[in-house]
Short mmCIF file of all heavy atoms in Angstrom, two decimals:
data_model
loop_
_atom_site.label_atom_id
_atom_site.label_comp_id
_atom_site.label_asym_id
_atom_site.label_seq_id
_atom_site.Cartn_x
_atom_site.Cartn_y
_atom_site.Cartn_z
N THR A 61 1.01 -11.96 -28.93
CA THR A 61 0.84 -12.43 -30.30
C THR A 61 1.81 -11.88 -31.24
O THR A 61 1.85 -12.23 -32.43
CB THR A 61 -0.63 -12.10 -30.84
OG1 THR A 61 -0.78 -10.71 -30.74
CG2 THR A 61 -1.70 -12.82 -29.97
N LYS A 62 2.67 -10.97 -30.70
CA LYS A 62 3.83 -10.41 -31.51
C LYS A 62 4.80 -9.73 -30.62
O LYS A 62 4.48 -9.52 -29.39
CB LYS A 62 3.33 -9.46 -32.60
CG LYS A 62 2.56 -8.27 -32.09
CD LYS A 62 2.05 -7.42 -33.24
CE LYS A 62 2.82 -6.09 -33.26
NZ LYS A 62 2.36 -5.20 -34.28
N ASP A 63 5.95 -9.44 -31.09
CA ASP A 63 6.97 -8.72 -30.33
C ASP A 63 6.43 -7.35 -30.01
O ASP A 63 5.78 -6.71 -30.85
CB ASP A 63 8.25 -8.54 -31.08
CG ASP A 63 9.03 -9.94 -31.23
OD1 ASP A 63 8.83 -10.77 -30.36
OD2 ASP A 63 9.76 -10.02 -32.21
N ILE A 64 6.73 -6.85 -28.81
CA ILE A 64 6.32 -5.44 -28.39
C ILE A 64 7.62 -4.67 -28.10
O ILE A 64 8.46 -5.05 -27.34
CB ILE A 64 5.38 -5.49 -27.17
CG1 ILE A 64 4.12 -6.23 -27.52
CG2 ILE A 64 5.19 -4.09 -26.65
CD1 ILE A 64 3.15 -6.35 -26.29
N ASP A 65 7.65 -3.51 -28.79
CA ASP A 65 8.80 -2.56 -28.59
C ASP A 65 8.19 -1.20 -28.31
O ASP A 65 7.55 -0.64 -29.17
CB ASP A 65 9.57 -2.54 -29.87
CG ASP A 65 11.04 -2.03 -29.62
OD1 ASP A 65 11.33 -1.55 -28.53
OD2 ASP A 65 11.84 -2.15 -30.54
N LYS A 66 8.38 -0.71 -27.09
CA LYS A 66 7.71 0.49 -26.58
C LYS A 66 8.68 1.47 -26.10
O LYS A 66 9.63 1.23 -25.34
CB LYS A 66 6.74 0.15 -25.49
CG LYS A 66 6.00 1.30 -24.83
CD LYS A 66 4.95 1.88 -25.73
CE LYS A 66 4.18 2.93 -24.94
NZ LYS A 66 3.26 3.60 -25.75
N TYR A 67 8.53 2.82 -26.49
CA TYR A 67 9.29 3.89 -25.94
C TYR A 67 8.40 4.66 -24.97
O TYR A 67 7.25 4.99 -25.36
CB TYR A 67 9.81 4.86 -27.05
CG TYR A 67 10.87 4.23 -27.89
CD1 TYR A 67 10.58 3.41 -28.92
CD2 TYR A 67 12.22 4.48 -27.54
CE1 TYR A 67 11.61 2.78 -29.64
CE2 TYR A 67 13.22 3.83 -28.29
CZ TYR A 67 12.94 3.05 -29.31
OH TYR A 67 13.95 2.45 -30.04
N ILE A 68 8.91 4.93 -23.81
CA ILE A 68 8.08 5.66 -22.76
C ILE A 68 8.83 6.91 -22.33
O ILE A 68 10.04 7.04 -22.44
CB ILE A 68 7.75 4.76 -21.52
CG1 ILE A 68 9.06 4.35 -20.79
CG2 ILE A 68 6.88 3.59 -21.89
CD1 ILE A 68 8.80 3.62 -19.50
N ASP A 69 8.05 7.91 -21.84
CA ASP A 69 8.58 9.05 -21.26
C ASP A 69 8.98 8.79 -19.81
O ASP A 69 8.86 7.69 -19.32
CB ASP A 69 7.54 10.18 -21.25
CG ASP A 69 7.23 10.70 -22.66
OD1 ASP A 69 8.19 10.66 -23.51
OD2 ASP A 69 6.08 11.17 -22.87
N SER A 70 9.52 9.78 -19.14
CA SER A 70 9.94 9.59 -17.81
C SER A 70 8.78 9.13 -16.91
O SER A 70 7.68 9.65 -16.98
CB SER A 70 10.42 10.96 -17.27
OG SER A 70 10.75 10.85 -15.91
N ALA A 71 9.04 8.05 -16.15
CA ALA A 71 8.06 7.52 -15.29
C ALA A 71 8.69 6.68 -14.19
O ALA A 71 9.76 6.10 -14.37
CB ALA A 71 7.09 6.57 -16.10
N ASP A 72 8.13 6.74 -13.00
CA ASP A 72 8.67 5.89 -11.94
C ASP A 72 8.32 4.42 -12.16
O ASP A 72 9.13 3.54 -11.97
CB ASP A 72 8.01 6.31 -10.54
CG ASP A 72 8.50 7.61 -10.13
OD1 ASP A 72 9.58 8.02 -10.51
OD2 ASP A 72 7.74 8.31 -9.34
N VAL A 73 7.06 4.17 -12.65
CA VAL A 73 6.56 2.86 -12.97
C VAL A 73 5.83 2.87 -14.24
O VAL A 73 4.97 3.74 -14.44
CB VAL A 73 5.65 2.34 -11.80
CG1 VAL A 73 5.07 0.97 -12.19
CG2 VAL A 73 6.34 2.28 -10.48
N TRP A 74 6.21 1.97 -15.18
CA TRP A 74 5.43 1.93 -16.43
C TRP A 74 4.08 1.29 -16.27
O TRP A 74 3.07 1.72 -16.80
CB TRP A 74 6.29 1.23 -17.56
CG TRP A 74 5.49 1.10 -18.79
CD1 TRP A 74 5.04 2.10 -19.58
CD2 TRP A 74 5.01 -0.17 -19.36
NE1 TRP A 74 4.32 1.61 -20.63
CE2 TRP A 74 4.29 0.25 -20.59
CE3 TRP A 74 5.09 -1.47 -19.05
CZ2 TRP A 74 3.69 -0.75 -21.39
CZ3 TRP A 74 4.53 -2.39 -19.90
CH2 TRP A 74 3.81 -2.03 -21.07
N CYS A 75 4.01 0.20 -15.53
CA CYS A 75 2.74 -0.58 -15.39
C CYS A 75 2.58 -1.13 -14.00
O CYS A 75 3.46 -1.77 -13.47
CB CYS A 75 2.79 -1.72 -16.42
SG CYS A 75 1.34 -2.72 -16.44
N THR A 76 1.43 -0.84 -13.36
CA THR A 76 1.11 -1.39 -12.04
C THR A 76 0.12 -2.55 -12.21
O THR A 76 -0.95 -2.41 -12.74
CB THR A 76 0.45 -0.25 -11.19
OG1 THR A 76 1.39 0.82 -11.10
CG2 THR A 76 0.11 -0.77 -9.79
N VAL A 77 0.60 -3.74 -11.77
CA VAL A 77 -0.16 -4.98 -11.87
C VAL A 77 -1.24 -5.06 -10.75
O VAL A 77 -0.78 -4.97 -9.64
CB VAL A 77 0.72 -6.22 -11.94
CG1 VAL A 77 -0.07 -7.50 -12.05
CG2 VAL A 77 1.75 -6.07 -13.10
N ARG A 78 -2.47 -5.25 -11.14
CA ARG A 78 -3.57 -5.43 -10.11
C ARG A 78 -4.23 -6.80 -10.42
O ARG A 78 -4.32 -7.16 -11.61
CB ARG A 78 -4.57 -4.29 -10.21
CG ARG A 78 -3.92 -2.99 -9.82
CD ARG A 78 -4.90 -1.85 -10.02
NE ARG A 78 -4.28 -0.61 -9.68
CZ ARG A 78 -3.70 0.20 -10.52
NH1 ARG A 78 -3.63 -0.03 -11.76
NH2 ARG A 78 -3.18 1.37 -10.14
N GLY A 79 -4.74 -7.44 -9.44
CA GLY A 79 -5.45 -8.67 -9.65
C GLY A 79 -4.49 -9.83 -9.98
O GLY A 79 -3.31 -9.71 -9.72
N ASN A 80 -5.05 -10.94 -10.43
CA ASN A 80 -4.25 -12.09 -10.73
C ASN A 80 -4.05 -12.18 -12.26
O ASN A 80 -5.00 -12.26 -13.05
CB ASN A 80 -4.93 -13.35 -10.25
CG ASN A 80 -5.07 -13.37 -8.77
OD1 ASN A 80 -4.15 -13.01 -8.06
ND2 ASN A 80 -6.24 -13.69 -8.26
#
Side-chain angles (χ1 to χ4, degrees):
T61 58
K62 63 184 248 182
D63 291 333
I64 295 177
D65 202 349
K66 173 76 174 174
Y67 288 85
I68 60 173
D69 291 329
S70 176
D72 291 334
V73 176
W74 175 64
C75 181
T76 301
V77 178
R78 296 178 180 93
N80 298 315

